[in-house]
């Protein structure tokens, strides 16, 4: 009995020590997860400060689209320096002349693909109010045939779908100014955005147009199936889903005789169905009349 009691005490002590060790490990893991991220090695507080810093930089950054490839940093500085102090300028959407070159080296050495015509840039201001003032340059003609698009780089910038249209079936090498000129008849065009491939710089076949008012949208919808750079473009409101016209081969290919026979069969089937309902009623009425037989006829039958 004494030996069994001693063993039971030892087992309880071992269980208590194991539970304490597990609790310590769980607490240490929770602390490390809350304080340090295993992938980046940075603390949660540092990540939050980075996010706040990135958002503040985006609010001070201006996106400039539809610039010519020959554009330089000095030309952009001379255009935006009147709105405030510029911190940095960087070019994007460059197509290198060689596959071995990176986009950064292509921008520094000015070795761009000969077929590339457009380039985008980001202008970072020192103050957020200066970036908002720089939006006045939206739609201005930077060079002959290049109306630039200026917008805040922050993700919170809203887009008005009521004043916008979606364009489909566009030519891959179309320019923003060609679209602007095509829809300038409808009203004042605020901005044109052609969605392009980041590697080749060619368009993906669709884009957007932002007008000054909603009346221009109604006029632009009438230009659906109009020809632009040799292609019939598709115009619709932003947010509407496009449905392809569905052809029904069974109905279109069916001969006229078969269609006529089907209709006749349907008519006959309806009439027969009505007749089946009416026949038992007639029979029931006749049977009731047969019950009232005159006396003279009844005597003859006997």
């Amino acid at each position: 009995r004494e030996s069994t009691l001693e063993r039971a005490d030892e087992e309880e002590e071992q269980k208590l020590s194991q539970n304490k060790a597990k609790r310590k490990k769980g607490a240490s893991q929770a602390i490390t997860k809350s304080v340090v991220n295993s992938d980046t090695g940075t603390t949660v507080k540092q990540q939050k400060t980075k996010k706040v810093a990135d958002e503040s930089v985006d609010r001070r950054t201006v996106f400039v689209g539809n610039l010519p490839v020959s554009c330089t940093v000095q030309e952009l500085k001379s255009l935006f320096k009147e709105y405030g102090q510029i911190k940095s300028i960087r070019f994007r959407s460059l197509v290198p002349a060689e596959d071995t070159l990176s986009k950064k080296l292509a921008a520094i050495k000015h070795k761009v693909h000969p077929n590339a015509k457009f380039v985008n840039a980001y202008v970072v201001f020192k103050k957020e109010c200066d970036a908002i003032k720089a939006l006045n340059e939206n739609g201005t003609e930077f060079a002959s045939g290049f109306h630039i698009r200026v917008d805040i780089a922050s993700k919170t910038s809203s887009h008005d779908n009521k004043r916008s249209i979606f364009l489909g079936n566009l030519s891959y090498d179309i320019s923003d100014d060609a679209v602007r000129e095509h829809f300038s008849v409808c009203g004042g065009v605020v901005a044109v955005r052609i969605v392009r491939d980041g590697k080749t710089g060619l368009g993906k076949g669709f884009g957007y147009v932002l007008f000054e008012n909603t009346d221009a949208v109604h006029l632009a919808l009438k230009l659906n199936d109009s020809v632009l750079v040799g292609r019939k473009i598709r115009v619709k409101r932003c947010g509407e889903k496009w449905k392809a016209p569905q052809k029904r081969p069974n109905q279109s290919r069916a001969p006229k005789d078969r269609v006529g026979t089907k209709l006749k069969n349907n008519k006959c089937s309806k009439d027969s169905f009505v007749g089946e309902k009416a026949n038992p009623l007639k029979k029931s009425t006749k049977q009731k009349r047969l019950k009232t037989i005159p006396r003279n006829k009844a005597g003859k039958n006997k």
Side-chain angles (χ1 to χ4, degrees), residues 74-119:
Q74 293 179 355
E75 289 176 352
L76 279 179
K77 276 186 178 179
S78 62
L79 180 65
F80 289 102
K81 67 181 181 181
E82 60 178 341
Y83 299 105
Q85 188 176 355
I86 296 170
K87 205 170 183 181
S88 65
I89 293 174
R90 59 185 187 274
F91 289 98
R92 289 290 181 269
S93 304
L94 282 168
V95 182
E98 300 173 359
D99 295 334
T100 55
L101 286 173
S102 64
K103 292 183 178 181
K104 192 173 182 179
L105 285 171
I108 294 167
K109 295 180 179 180
H110 294 285
K111 290 185 177 180
V112 187
H113 199 273
N115 293 330
K117 299 177 183 178
F118 318 101
V119 69

Coordinates of all heavy atoms in Angstrom, one line a residue, residues 74-119:
Q74 N 13.2 66.8 -65.4 CA 13.3 68.3 -65.4 C 12.0 68.9 -66.0 O 11.5 69.9 -65.5 CB 14.5 68.8 -66.2 CG 15.8 68.4 -65.5 CD 17.0 68.9 -66.3 OE1 16.8 69.4 -67.4 NE2 18.2 68.7 -65.8
E75 N 11.4 68.2 -67.0 CA 10.2 68.8 -67.6 C 9.0 68.6 -66.6 O 8.2 69.5 -66.5 CB 9.9 68.0 -68.9 CG 10.9 68.3 -70.1 CD 10.6 67.5 -71.3 OE1 9.8 66.6 -71.2 OE2 11.2 67.8 -72.4
L76 N 9.0 67.5 -65.9 CA 7.9 67.3 -65.0 C 8.1 68.3 -63.8 O 7.1 68.8 -63.3 CB 7.9 65.9 -64.5 CG 7.2 64.8 -65.4 CD1 7.3 63.5 -64.7 CD2 5.7 65.2 -65.6
K77 N 9.3 68.5 -63.4 CA 9.5 69.4 -62.3 C 9.1 70.9 -62.6 O 8.5 71.6 -61.9 CB 11.0 69.4 -61.9 CG 11.4 68.3 -60.9 CD 12.8 68.5 -60.5 CE 13.2 67.4 -59.5 NZ 14.6 67.5 -59.0
S78 N 9.4 71.2 -63.9 CA 9.0 72.6 -64.3 C 7.5 72.7 -64.4 O 7.0 73.8 -64.3 CB 9.7 72.9 -65.6 OG 9.2 72.0 -66.6
L79 N 6.8 71.6 -64.6 CA 5.3 71.7 -64.8 C 4.7 71.8 -63.4 O 3.7 72.5 -63.2 CB 4.8 70.4 -65.5 CG 3.3 70.3 -65.7 CD1 2.8 71.4 -66.6 CD2 3.0 69.0 -66.3
F80 N 5.2 71.0 -62.4 CA 4.5 70.9 -61.1 C 5.2 71.7 -60.0 O 4.7 71.7 -58.8 CB 4.5 69.4 -60.7 CG 3.5 68.6 -61.5 CD1 4.0 67.8 -62.5 CD2 2.1 68.7 -61.3 CE1 3.1 67.0 -63.2 CE2 1.3 67.9 -62.0 CZ 1.7 67.1 -63.0
K81 N 6.3 72.4 -60.2 CA 7.0 73.1 -59.1 C 6.2 74.3 -58.6 O 6.4 74.7 -57.5 CB 8.4 73.5 -59.6 CG 8.4 74.6 -60.7 CD 9.8 74.9 -61.1 CE 9.8 76.0 -62.2 NZ 11.2 76.3 -62.6
E82 N 5.3 74.8 -59.4 CA 4.5 76.0 -59.0 C 3.5 75.7 -57.9 O 3.0 76.5 -57.2 CB 3.8 76.6 -60.2 CG 2.9 75.7 -60.9 CD 2.2 76.4 -62.0 OE1 2.1 77.7 -62.0 OE2 1.6 75.7 -62.9
Y83 N 3.2 74.4 -57.7 CA 2.2 74.0 -56.7 C 2.8 73.6 -55.4 O 2.1 73.6 -54.4 CB 1.4 72.7 -57.3 CG 0.7 73.0 -58.5 CD1 1.2 72.5 -59.7 CD2 -0.5 73.7 -58.5 CE1 0.5 72.7 -60.9 CE2 -1.2 74.0 -59.7 CZ -0.7 73.5 -60.9 OH -1.4 73.7 -62.1
G84 N 4.1 73.4 -55.3 CA 4.7 73.2 -54.0 C 6.1 72.5 -54.2 O 6.5 72.2 -55.4
Q85 N 6.7 72.2 -53.1 CA 8.0 71.6 -53.1 C 7.9 70.1 -53.5 O 7.1 69.3 -52.8 CB 8.7 71.7 -51.8 CG 10.2 71.3 -51.8 CD 10.8 71.5 -50.4 OE1 10.2 72.1 -49.5 NE2 12.1 71.1 -50.3
I86 N 8.7 69.6 -54.5 CA 8.6 68.2 -54.9 C 9.7 67.5 -54.2 O 10.9 67.9 -54.2 CB 8.8 68.2 -56.5 CG1 7.6 68.9 -57.1 CG2 8.9 66.7 -56.9 CD1 7.8 69.1 -58.6
K87 N 9.4 66.3 -53.7 CA 10.3 65.5 -53.0 C 11.0 64.5 -53.9 O 12.2 64.3 -53.9 CB 9.6 64.7 -51.9 CG 10.5 64.3 -50.7 CD 9.7 63.8 -49.6 CE 10.6 63.4 -48.4 NZ 9.9 62.9 -47.2
S88 N 10.3 63.8 -54.8 CA 10.9 62.9 -55.7 C 9.9 62.7 -56.9 O 8.7 62.9 -56.8 CB 11.1 61.5 -55.0 OG 9.9 60.9 -54.7
I89 N 10.5 62.2 -58.0 CA 9.8 61.8 -59.3 C 10.3 60.5 -59.8 O 11.6 60.3 -59.9 CB 10.0 62.9 -60.3 CG1 9.3 64.2 -59.9 CG2 9.4 62.5 -61.7 CD1 9.5 65.4 -60.9
R90 N 9.4 59.6 -60.1 CA 9.9 58.3 -60.6 C 8.9 57.9 -61.7 O 7.7 58.1 -61.7 CB 9.9 57.2 -59.5 CG 8.6 57.0 -58.8 CD 8.7 56.0 -57.7 NE 7.5 55.6 -57.1 CZ 6.8 56.2 -56.1 NH1 7.4 57.4 -55.7 NH2 5.7 55.8 -55.7
F91 N 9.5 57.3 -62.8 CA 8.8 56.9 -64.0 C 8.4 55.4 -63.8 O 9.1 54.6 -63.2 CB 9.6 57.1 -65.2 CG 9.8 58.5 -65.6 CD1 10.9 59.2 -65.3 CD2 8.8 59.2 -66.3 CE1 11.1 60.5 -65.7 CE2 8.9 60.5 -66.7 CZ 10.1 61.2 -66.4
R92 N 7.2 55.1 -64.4 CA 6.7 53.7 -64.3 C 6.1 53.4 -65.7 O 6.0 54.2 -66.6 CB 5.6 53.6 -63.3 CG 6.1 53.6 -61.9 CD 6.9 52.4 -61.5 NE 7.4 52.4 -60.1 CZ 8.6 52.9 -59.8 NH1 9.4 53.5 -60.7 NH2 9.0 52.9 -58.5
S93 N 5.8 52.1 -65.9 CA 5.2 51.5 -67.1 C 6.2 51.7 -68.3 O 5.8 51.8 -69.5 CB 3.9 52.2 -67.5 OG 3.0 52.1 -66.4
L94 N 7.5 51.6 -68.0 CA 8.5 51.6 -69.1 C 8.7 50.2 -69.7 O 8.7 49.2 -69.0 CB 9.8 52.1 -68.6 CG 9.9 53.7 -68.4 CD1 11.2 54.0 -67.6 CD2 10.0 54.4 -69.7
V95 N 8.9 50.2 -71.0 CA 9.1 48.9 -71.7 C 10.6 48.9 -72.1 O 11.0 49.7 -73.0 CB 8.2 48.7 -72.9 CG1 8.5 47.4 -73.6 CG2 6.7 48.9 -72.5
P96 N 11.5 48.1 -71.5 CA 12.9 48.2 -71.8 C 13.1 47.7 -73.3 O 12.4 46.9 -73.8 CB 13.5 47.2 -70.8 CG 12.5 47.1 -69.7 CD 11.2 47.2 -70.4
A97 N 14.2 48.3 -73.9 CA 14.6 47.9 -75.2 C 15.1 46.5 -75.3 O 14.9 45.8 -76.3 CB 15.6 48.9 -75.8
E98 N 15.7 46.0 -74.2 CA 16.2 44.6 -74.1 C 15.6 43.9 -72.9 O 15.3 44.5 -71.9 CB 17.7 44.6 -74.0 CG 18.4 45.3 -75.2 CD 19.9 45.4 -75.0 OE1 20.4 45.0 -73.9 OE2 20.6 45.9 -75.9
D99 N 15.5 42.6 -73.1 CA 14.9 41.8 -72.0 C 15.8 41.7 -70.8 O 15.4 41.5 -69.6 CB 14.6 40.3 -72.4 CG 13.5 40.3 -73.5 OD1 12.7 41.2 -73.5 OD2 13.5 39.4 -74.3
T100 N 17.1 41.9 -71.0 CA 18.1 41.8 -69.9 C 18.1 43.0 -69.0 O 18.4 43.0 -67.8 CB 19.5 41.6 -70.4 OG1 19.8 42.7 -71.4 CG2 19.7 40.3 -71.2
L101 N 17.6 44.2 -69.6 CA 17.5 45.4 -68.8 C 16.3 45.4 -67.9 O 15.2 45.0 -68.3 CB 17.5 46.6 -69.7 CG 18.8 47.0 -70.4 CD1 18.5 48.1 -71.4 CD2 19.8 47.5 -69.4
S102 N 16.5 46.0 -66.7 CA 15.3 46.2 -65.8 C 14.7 47.5 -66.2 O 15.2 48.4 -66.9 CB 15.7 46.2 -64.4 OG 16.6 47.2 -64.1
K103 N 13.5 47.7 -65.7 CA 12.7 49.0 -65.9 C 13.5 50.2 -65.3 O 13.4 51.3 -65.9 CB 11.3 48.9 -65.4 CG 10.5 47.9 -66.2 CD 9.0 47.9 -65.7 CE 8.2 46.9 -66.5 NZ 6.8 46.9 -66.0
K104 N 14.1 50.0 -64.2 CA 14.8 51.1 -63.6 C 16.0 51.5 -64.4 O 16.2 52.7 -64.6 CB 15.2 50.6 -62.2 CG 15.7 51.8 -61.3 CD 16.0 51.3 -59.9 CE 16.4 52.4 -59.0 NZ 16.7 52.0 -57.6
L105 N 16.8 50.5 -64.9 CA 17.9 50.9 -65.7 C 17.5 51.4 -67.0 O 18.2 52.4 -67.6 CB 18.8 49.6 -66.0 CG 19.6 49.1 -64.8 CD1 20.2 47.7 -65.1 CD2 20.7 50.1 -64.5
A106 N 16.4 50.9 -67.6 CA 15.9 51.5 -68.8 C 15.5 53.0 -68.7 O 15.7 53.8 -69.6 CB 14.7 50.7 -69.3
A107 N 14.9 53.3 -67.5 CA 14.6 54.7 -67.3 C 15.8 55.6 -67.1 O 15.8 56.7 -67.6 CB 13.7 54.8 -66.0
I108 N 16.8 55.0 -66.4 CA 18.1 55.8 -66.2 C 18.8 56.0 -67.5 O 19.3 57.1 -67.8 CB 18.9 55.2 -65.2 CG1 18.2 55.2 -63.8 CG2 20.3 55.9 -65.0 CD1 18.8 54.3 -62.8
K109 N 19.0 55.0 -68.3 CA 19.8 55.0 -69.5 C 18.9 55.4 -70.7 O 19.5 55.6 -71.8 CB 20.4 53.6 -69.8 CG 21.4 53.2 -68.8 CD 21.9 51.8 -69.1 CE 23.0 51.4 -68.1 NZ 23.5 50.0 -68.4
H110 N 17.6 55.6 -70.5 CA 16.7 56.0 -71.6 C 16.7 55.0 -72.8 O 16.7 55.4 -74.0 CB 17.0 57.4 -72.2 CG 16.8 58.5 -71.1 ND1 15.6 58.9 -70.8 CD2 17.7 59.2 -70.4 CE1 15.7 59.9 -69.9 NE2 17.0 60.0 -69.6
K111 N 16.8 53.7 -72.4 CA 16.8 52.7 -73.4 C 15.4 52.0 -73.4 O 15.1 51.1 -72.7 CB 17.9 51.6 -73.1 CG 19.3 52.1 -73.4 CD 20.3 51.0 -73.2 CE 21.7 51.5 -73.6 NZ 22.7 50.4 -73.4
V112 N 14.5 52.6 -74.1 CA 13.1 52.2 -74.2 C 12.8 51.5 -75.5 O 13.4 51.8 -76.5 CB 12.2 53.4 -73.9 CG1 10.7 52.9 -73.8 CG2 12.6 54.2 -72.7
H113 N 11.8 50.6 -75.5 CA 11.5 49.9 -76.7 C 11.0 50.9 -77.8 O 10.3 51.8 -77.5 CB 10.4 48.9 -76.4 CG 10.2 47.8 -77.4 ND1 9.4 48.0 -78.6 CD2 10.8 46.6 -77.5 CE1 9.5 46.9 -79.3 NE2 10.3 46.0 -78.7
P114 N 11.4 50.7 -79.0 CA 11.0 51.7 -80.1 C 9.5 51.8 -80.3 O 9.0 52.8 -80.7 CB 11.7 51.2 -81.3 CG 12.1 49.8 -81.0 CD 12.3 49.7 -79.6
N115 N 8.8 50.7 -80.1 CA 7.3 50.7 -80.2 C 6.6 51.4 -79.1 O 5.4 51.7 -79.2 CB 6.8 49.3 -80.5 CG 7.3 48.7 -81.8 OD1 7.5 49.4 -82.7 ND2 7.4 47.4 -81.8
A116 N 7.3 51.6 -78.0 CA 6.6 52.2 -76.8 C 6.4 53.7 -77.0 O 7.3 54.4 -77.5 CB 7.5 52.0 -75.6
K117 N 5.2 54.2 -76.7 CA 4.8 55.6 -77.0 C 4.4 56.3 -75.7 O 4.5 57.5 -75.7 CB 3.7 55.7 -78.0 CG 4.0 55.1 -79.4 CD 2.8 55.1 -80.3 CE 3.1 54.5 -81.6 NZ 1.9 54.5 -82.5
F118 N 4.0 55.5 -74.7 CA 3.5 56.2 -73.5 C 4.3 55.8 -72.3 O 4.9 54.7 -72.3 CB 2.0 55.8 -73.3 CG 1.2 55.8 -74.6 CD1 0.9 54.6 -75.2 CD2 0.7 56.9 -75.1 CE1 0.2 54.6 -76.4 CE2 0.0 56.9 -76.2 CZ -0.3 55.8 -76.9
V119 N 4.2 56.6 -71.3 CA 4.9 56.3 -70.0 C 4.1 57.0 -68.9 O 3.5 58.1 -69.1 CB 6.4 56.8 -70.1 CG1 6.5 58.3 -70.1 CG2 7.2 56.3 -68.9

